[in-house]
Amino acid sequence: MEITVNVNGQSYTRDVEPRMLLVHFLRDELGLTGTHWGCDTSNCGACVAWLDDTPVKSCTVLAVMADGHTVRTVEGLESADGLDPVQQGFIECHGLQCGFCTPGMMMTSRWLLDHNPDPSEADIREAISGQLCRCTGYENIVRSVRWAAEHEAAAEGEAVTEDTSVEVQA
């Protein structure tokens, strides 16, 4: 089947098997290997990507289901301005560990902060509860998300301060 999918702002058209999973489409057809393939049963969450701005476990979504839709992967978090605050938070607070769960954790964390810019520790733990990290007790991941939230709030405060300055003309 021929499908066309917008991935990270770029349109791709490919012929795919109807049974191909989205995770394999992203990795094998597009070369976007940031989305990890782990359990193939939706238990680990390493494969989380966004389908039309909603986090999905891409090992349970057929690629043909993404036809005509928008997908965002961990590669799409970075912008021309640099790393996303979530990515930077994982670096600053050592939320990476082995890195296998990291892409899914980052995508889920970005979605959380887009919907709740000041999450509590409990909010963060609930948001990532559908994902497994075998390296930690999640402490550094939670700290990473809080770091991102605090730095986004500070950056927005600076932007507001800049935007509210009024130039008086004589």
Side-chain angles (χ1 to χ4, degrees), residues 84-129:
D84 184 273
V86 170
Q87 292 172 305
Q88 192 63 45
F90 272 69
I91 292 168
E92 298 295 330
C93 300
H94 310 289
L96 300 164
Q97 299 298 309
C98 82
F100 194 77
C101 72
T102 302
M105 291 285 188
M106 286 184 177
M107 294 305 292
T108 299
S109 299
R110 174 74 273 150
W111 186 90
L112 171 65
L113 294 179
D114 287 350
H115 293 84
N116 178 358
D118 187 25
S120 67
E121 179 178 337
D123 294 333
I124 296 167
R125 287 183 181 278
E126 181 179 348
I128 64 173
S129 66

Side-chain angles (χ1 to χ4, degrees), residues 7-72:
V7 180
N8 298 329
Q10 185 174 342
S11 183
Y12 296 92
T13 300
R14 297 286 191 281
D15 283 318
V16 300
E17 292 281 332
R19 66 176 185 238
M20 177 179 270
L21 296 172
L22 182 57
V23 67
H24 297 304
F25 176 75
L26 296 170
R27 293 180 60 82
D28 302 337
E29 294 292 322
L30 304 184
L32 298 172
T33 57
T35 301
H36 290 168
W37 177 42
C39 65
D40 222 8
T41 60
S42 82
N43 288 320
C44 74
C47 66
V48 170
W50 292 3
L51 182 59
D52 292 336
D53 296 323
T54 300
V56 297
K57 292 183 178 176
S58 62
C59 73
T60 60
V61 175
L62 297 171
V64 296
M65 296 168 70
D67 184 31
H69 295 276
T70 300
V71 173
R72 188 173 182 197

